[in-house]
């Protein structure tokens, strides 16, 4: 069918039994769903959260109060059903897949686990590129395959989450490069650094940024400073947008992956919903750079896709009112 015109979508919304615009952001969401699905009665089908996990070489510099081993421990927790993301997915009827993009551990087979390990953690980007261009290509391709697989299974809305000790360092570096902001605006507490820890983290990231300042293209920047989970998430976002899925962003790290995807394909933002504004320093400015309006502000900074999972009932509500609410 021909594309729905903006005027047609506006008539659908304004014809409902309510004052025009009175449902606020839900109306913008409903219009976005209608545009993406090119349907006056959009539906959310098999919504899925993808949690990408990997380790980071930069943790050797003391940028996190937790050791890299916690990444693997949390993956076991996800697979055991005991993490916050498990709770919220169960509550909201969301499918959950855990992707081993590069954890420094091996995991037994599990129905929720997608084995996609590029390597056992990235290199330390203070001394060398985090990954080679070949590793980056592999991560982008594997992320694309994962998005295509869930799309073929019928999913049309996907939320992005992550787990990786040290990944707020990688995300801050990517934010610094893609948003053209000073590192002081990008570096936060991560998993709970005190003031002295944040200052130490900033000094470390300044060294990494200086070492890789010649990286210019989105792929060069992502390979130099990214994590395997961030690169794989980026690949999944790009393919999900190609397949016509709704993309639901979580917090600081998943939005950093989107910054890379946006640098490659700016139109990807038309398919994105921003679940919340994280309490991690820098996320609000990331959203400002993307001119994005978050649905929620809950003071969260956990990651795992938890914000995305909590936003899905609002996304479903936007579809429901468009489909079920009476019209004048």
């Amino acid at each position: 069918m021909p594309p729905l015109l903006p005027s047609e979508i506006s008539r659908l919304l304004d014809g409902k039994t309510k004052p025009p615009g009175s449902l606020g952001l839900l109306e913008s969401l409903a219009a976005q769903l209608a545009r993406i699905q090119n349907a006056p009665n959009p539906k959310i089908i098999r919504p899925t959260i993808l949690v990408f996990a990997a380790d980071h070489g930069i943790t050797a510099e003391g940028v996190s109060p937790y050791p890299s081993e916690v990444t693997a421990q949390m993956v076991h927790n996800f697979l055991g059903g005991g993490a916050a993301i498990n709770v919220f997915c169960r509550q909201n009827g969301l499918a959950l897949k855990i992707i081993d993009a590069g954890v420094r551990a091996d995991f037994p087979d599990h129905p929720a686990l997608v084995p996609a390990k590029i390597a056992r953690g990235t290199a330390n980007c203070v001394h060398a590129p985090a990954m080679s261009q070949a590793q980056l290509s592999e991560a982008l391709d594997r992320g694309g395959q994962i998005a295509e697989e869930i799309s073929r299974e019928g999913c049309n809305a996907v939320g992005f989450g992550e787990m990786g000790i040290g990944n707020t360092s990688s995300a801050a570096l990517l934010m610094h490069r893609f948003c053209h902001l000073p590192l002081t605006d990008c570096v936060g507490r991560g998993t709970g650094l005190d003031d002295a820890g944040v200052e130490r983290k900033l000094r470390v990231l300044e060294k990494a940024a200086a070492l890789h300042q010649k990286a210019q293209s989105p792929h060069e920047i992502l390979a130099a400073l990214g994590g395997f989970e961030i690169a794989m998430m980026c690949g999944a976002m790009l393919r999900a947008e190609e397949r016509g899925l709704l993309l639901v962003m979580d917090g600081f790290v998943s939005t950093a992956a989107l910054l890379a995807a946006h640098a490659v394909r700016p139109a990807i933002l038309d398919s994105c919903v921003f679940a919340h504004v994280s309490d991690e320093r820098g996320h609000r400015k990331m959203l400002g750079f993307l001119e994005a309006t978050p649905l929620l502000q809950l003071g969260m900074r956990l990651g795992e896709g938890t914000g995305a999972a909590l936003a899905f009932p609002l996304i479903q509500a936007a579809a429901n009112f468009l489909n079920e609410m009476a019209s004048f």
Side-chain angles (χ1 to χ4, degrees):
M1 64 180 290
L4 280 174
L5 299 174
S7 58
E8 293 176 300
I9 297 173
S10 293
R11 280 198 298 273
L12 282 171
L13 294 170
D14 293 345
K16 298 299 180 183
T17 51
K18 60 172 182 57
S22 58
L23 284 177
L25 278 178
L26 284 183
E27 298 201 24
S28 300
L29 262 180
Q32 185 178 15
L33 290 171
R35 285 196 305 272
I36 292 170
Q37 298 183 16
N38 195 37
N41 56 342
K43 295 176 173 60
I44 304 301
I45 303 171
R46 294 180 65 89
T48 301
I49 302 288
L50 300 177
V51 179
F52 296 81
D55 279 304
H56 292 251
I58 198 171
T59 55
E61 306 293 327
V63 294
S64 171
Y66 292 95
S68 286
E69 288 76 13
V70 172
T71 304
Q73 291 170 8
M74 283 305 302
V75 170
H76 283 294
N77 195 22
F78 298 149
L79 299 177
I85 188 59
N86 301 98
V87 174
F88 300 151
C89 283
R90 285 194 295 266
Q91 172 183 309
N92 295 328
L94 307 173
L96 176 64
K97 290 183 181 292
I98 311 301
I99 298 96
D100 175 10
V103 182
R104 288 194 182 112
D106 296 313
F107 304 100
D109 291 342
H110 189 282
L113 179 68
V114 180
K117 196 189 302 289
I118 306 299
R120 298 172 74 86
T122 56
N124 185 345
C125 65
V126 173
H127 304 296
M131 66 191 83
S132 67
Q133 283 294 328
Q135 288 176 321
L136 173 63
S137 294
E138 185 181 355
L140 292 170
D141 289 346
R142 190 67 185 97
Q145 292 167 16
I146 292 165
E148 185 138 353
E149 287 162 9
I150 65 168
S151 173
R152 292 187 186 280
E153 292 168 358
C155 169
N156 70 357
V158 56
F160 293 93
E162 41 60 43
M163 176 62 213
I165 296 300
N167 67 8
T168 61
S169 292
S170 183
L173 287 164
L174 294 172
M175 176 186 176
H176 165 62
R177 291 302 306 273
F178 287 122
C179 297
H180 312 291
L181 289 170
L183 268 173
T184 50
D185 289 347
C186 308
V187 178
R189 298 188 184 278
T191 48
L193 289 170
D194 58 16
D195 289 346
V198 173
E199 186 63 26
R200 181 174 62 253
K201 181 178 177 180
L202 176 60
R203 300 283 86 81
V204 169
L205 299 194
E206 285 174 343
K207 293 178 184 177
L211 180 66
H212 301 293
Q213 59 185 335
K214 291 183 179 179
Q216 293 299 318
S217 73
H219 285 76
E220 289 171 341
I221 294 169
L222 192 52
L225 304 170
F228 290 133
E229 83 280 36
I230 294 174
M232 204 170 287
M233 210 175 350
C234 176
M237 291 172 182
L238 290 165
R239 186 69 59 84
E241 188 264 345
E242 289 175 4
R243 299 279 299 182
L245 275 65
L246 181 74
L247 282 59
V248 184
M249 296 301 118
D250 185 39
F252 185 62
V253 179
S254 69
T255 308
L258 178 63
L259 289 175
H262 170 260
V264 173
R265 188 186 304 152
I268 197 171
L269 293 184
D270 294 339
S271 297
C272 294
V273 167
F274 295 85
H276 73 127
V277 56
S278 168
D279 239 21
E280 176 66 15
R281 184 178 184 182
H283 190 229
R284 189 178 296 276
K285 289 192 175 182
M286 271 186 182
L287 297 179
F289 174 81
L290 295 169
E291 298 181 349
T293 301
L295 295 179
L296 300 167
Q297 182 173 340
L298 299 173
M300 293 170 56
R301 54 180 180 84
L302 177 58
E304 302 179 8
T306 48
L310 291 172
F312 263 103
L314 295 176
I315 297 167
Q316 186 65 64
N320 288 350
F321 98 76
L322 192 56
N323 293 329
E324 300 175 20
M325 191 175 179
S327 297
F328 283 113

